[in-house]
Amino acid sequence: MCKEVNRRNRLPVDDYVQGVLKRNRAIFAQTITLVESNSSADMETAQAVLKQLHPYTGKSIRIGITGVPGVGKSTFIEGFGSLLCERGHRVAVLAIDPSSTITRGSILGDKTRMENLSKNPNAFIRPSASGGMLGGVARKTRETIFVCEAAGFDVILVETVGVGQSEVTVRSMVDFFLLLQITGAGDELQGMKKGVMELVDAILINKADGVNKQKALIAQSEYNGILHYLQPATKGWETKAYTCSSLTGEGLDEVWSMIQLFHKKTNESGVFSKRRQKQNLDWLHYMVEDYLRMNFYTHPKVTKVLPQIEQAVTEGTLSATMAANELVRNRNQ
Ligand code: GDP
């Protein structure tokens, strides 16, 4: 029933394209709903829309933001996004929330978030797409980025939490990746995963205010000490630690200056466009693999024998390799 209602509301492809390009807010939001839809008819329309929007995409800086719940991501985005809007930028905030695919609950979306920014006419906030695997959510977010860019958003913030593969996924679609941290009882470095530190372009120690300010400065120099020995995420850019208070706004300006410097440097060196090219190529391969996987597992010759073969592997009467060979042989017969 839901699908029928959706279909009745669908527009011709050109109406979506023109609406997005003319920055019609209602049509823009409807286009994102279309891109997020799982119905095959919608997917086809969405691809036709995206094809026409393609020449208008790419002109933004895409910034990923990660950090554990409570670190202050929403407060940071509220303050940082508002500052950018004041400076004349148009800011889109998207999210990748793996919890919405695993538990159907949501780590990022349950509270009222970014109240001021959500009212700003130059900002757009979209909660994480849900349903399906992380790969499906990632595809929707990537395509939503394109729609936002075509609608003139020049700063795209993609927020996530460090659950499973979500940080790697966000890294694969952004130009700059920011890790938010807070100071603990002196042991803040212990729980820190080296892997994440090597994915990010900056570590931002939030809540550097009041009695916490001094501790944040100490943590900053500790992080810098460690970062010095790690592989930087971006060629020609040194990942460093910074401090800010998202609550008072102190340090947010410096964060933007730092990101602008990153943008300038990586543009000049060619690293910026090389990364985007590589991201597109990786994505192409991922999509092909995804298509092949789907095509394989939904093929009648496979679905017919799969339960028995899985059973045999579970019971140990057939090795996984032999089972795979048999499935492929069946599919190709
Ligand atoms: P999220 O779960 O990462 O999105 O974190 P929130 O933005 O919801 O923040 C969690 C709590 O930390 C809230 O009570 C915020 O008011 C508080 N908080 C966020 N940023 C700061 C900050 O810079 N300073 C202080 N003192 N509190 C902050």
Side-chain angles (χ1 to χ4, degrees):
M1 169 161 168
C2 189
K3 268 187 192 159
E4 265 173 36
V5 173
N6 280 342
R7 256 187 224 130
R8 251 184 272 137
N9 289 338
R10 292 304 185 232
L11 304 170
V13 169
D14 272 354
D15 289 11
Y16 286 114
V17 173
Q18 291 312 316
V20 169
L21 294 178
K22 289 186 180 138
R23 304 181 182 182
N24 176 314
R25 219 168 158 92
I27 296 185
F28 168 65
Q30 284 176 43
T31 309
I32 290 173
T33 304
L34 180 81
V35 160
E36 288 179 346
S37 166
N38 289 320
S39 106
S40 52
D42 284 345
M43 279 184 181
E44 221 170 280
T45 315
Q47 289 313 313
V49 172
L50 286 165
K51 192 174 169 194
Q52 291 199 45
L53 291 180
H54 192 258
Y56 305 95
T57 63
K59 294 182 200 73
S60 75
I61 177 133
R62 304 166 185 166
I63 303 170
I65 296 165
T66 186
V68 296
V71 74
K73 292 182 298 303
S74 355
T75 315
F76 170 77
I77 292 170
E78 167 97 325
F80 188 62
S82 304
L83 177 106
L84 295 182
C85 289
E86 268 169 39
R87 303 267 174 90
H89 293 283
R90 301 186 72 228
V91 180
V93 182
L94 313 176
I96 290 197
D97 182 353
S99 58
S100 65
T101 66
I102 299 165
T103 63
R104 286 165 172 260
S106 166
I107 296 178
L108 292 176
D110 279 350
K111 48 201 162 141
T112 313
R113 314 170 81 235
M114 305 164 219
E115 236 171 276
N116 289 323
L117 193 61
S118 61
K119 287 182 209 137
N120 195 313
N122 288 321
F124 173 75
I125 300 175
R126 187 80 170 179
S128 179
S130 61
M133 310 293 285
L134 180 58
V137 175
R139 176 187 68 73
K140 292 170 188 175
T141 308
R142 283 182 73 95
E143 293 177 348
T144 302
I145 290 177
F146 296 141
V147 178
C148 291
E149 288 175 346
F153 288 95
D154 62 337
V155 181
I156 315 281
L157 305 178
V158 185
E159 178 191 9
T160 194
V161 277
V163 177
Q165 281 289 302
S166 71
E167 279 158 338
V168 176
T169 303
V170 169
R171 174 76 268 185
S172 75
M173 64 177 78
V174 297
D175 309 305
F176 184 96
F177 199 16
L178 182 64
L179 170 67
L180 253 62
Q181 284 286 106
I182 36 172
T183 57
D187 60 352
E188 52 272 349
L189 297 179
Q190 284 178 12
M192 192 68 207
K193 295 173 279 178
K194 179 171 167 267
V196 177
M197 286 173 93
E198 288 187 336
L199 280 183
V200 297
D201 297 302
I203 293 179
L204 185 57
I205 301 148
N206 188 32
K207 309 197 187 182
D209 44 48
V211 290
N212 220 12
K213 189 162 182 179
Q214 202 51 35
K215 280 193 215 154
L217 291 171
I218 294 168
Q220 180 187 16
S221 73
E222 286 177 355
Y223 277 118
N224 280 332
I226 291 183
L227 284 166
H228 191 68
Y229 294 102
L230 298 183
Q231 183 78 18
T234 304
K235 205 172 153 215
W237 175 257
E238 202 184 335
T239 301
K240 287 194 215 150
Y242 304 81
T243 62
C244 83
S245 167
S246 299
L247 215 55
T248 67
E250 202 181 328
L252 295 184
D253 216 356
E254 287 77 1
V255 173
W256 181 233
S257 304
M258 182 258 297
I259 294 176
Q260 282 179 304
L261 179 67
F262 172 94
H263 198 186
K264 183 171 177 286
K265 275 193 159 185
T266 53
N267 250 320
E268 284 167 2
S269 66
V271 166
F272 189 89
S273 58
K274 273 213 189 93
R275 169 175 271 148
R276 283 209 177 169
Q277 283 164 1
K278 181 162 186 318
Q279 288 176 339
N280 284 336
L281 272 184
D282 289 348
W283 191 245
L284 162 72
H285 295 144
Y286 175 83
M287 293 291 280
V288 170
E289 283 157 29
D290 194 49
Y291 171 81
L292 290 175
R293 201 178 304 120
M294 276 284 291
N295 211 284
F296 183 84
Y297 282 112
T298 53
H299 195 282
K301 283 183 181 166
V302 173
T303 51
K304 198 171 155 208
V305 294
L306 189 62
Q308 294 142 258
I309 291 187
E310 281 181 343
Q311 176 82 16
V313 172
T314 311
E315 288 167 359
T317 53
L318 192 65
S319 80
T321 310
M322 276 156 59
N325 286 339
E326 201 169 319
L327 276 176
V328 172
R329 212 175 26 248
N330 253 286
R331 163 68 181 80
N332 292 339
Q333 254 171 19

